[in-house]
Amino acid sequence: PPPTPFVASVTIHPQTPAITSVEPSTATAAGGTLVTITATFLPAVTLPSELEILLGGTAPFGGIALLWSNDQTTSFTATTPATTSTGETALSVSSTSVTPASAPVSIPFVVLSEGVEAACMSGCRGRVS
């Protein structure tokens, strides 16, 4: 009898992009805070201009500097924009290095007024109560 052919199947589950680290996770509404952001499974980028970082979905971060990027992790710094809103909002990141651009991934980010920020200098993170 002829040999039985070997049949194998492989299911590929694409990795979901996520922001894994934001330091610091708070900034003042005045803007100008340098933030280090690390994300996983974004498309690899070679230029800072291939990243779009938004606060609250509309206000772009400035001064983006790429620290490293590969198929698994991307890390960069960016400067928070000035905003008129305070409280918890979303920090979102997307890559424009692919067509169409990757869908944004988001993480909570807290925007503080100047007085609250000064009171939190010793380690305030996350939600403001």
Side-chain angles (χ1 to χ4, degrees), residues 1-6:
T4 305
F6 178 76

Side-chain angles (χ1 to χ4, degrees), residues 55-122:
L55 185 64
T58 58
F61 278 61
I64 301 167
L66 191 60
L67 301 175
W68 75 80
S69 182
N70 57 44
D71 289 336
Q72 291 187 338
T73 61
T74 299
S75 189
F76 51 93
T77 59
T79 304
T80 59
T83 181
T84 57
S85 299
T86 59
E88 188 174 294
T89 189
L91 181 154
S92 63
V93 176
S94 61
S95 170
T96 61
S97 66
V98 293
T99 303
S102 68
V105 293
S106 298
I107 194 166
F109 190 81
V110 178
V111 178
L112 304 168
S113 66
E114 294 291 334
V116 172
E117 199 272 339
C120 278
M121 290 303 285
S122 64

Side-chain angles (χ1 to χ4, degrees), residues 21-24 33-38 67-68 75-78:
S21 173
V22 176
E23 287 296 327
T33 300
L34 186 65
V35 178
T36 301
I37 302 164
T38 302
L67 301 175
W68 75 80
S75 189
F76 51 93
T77 59

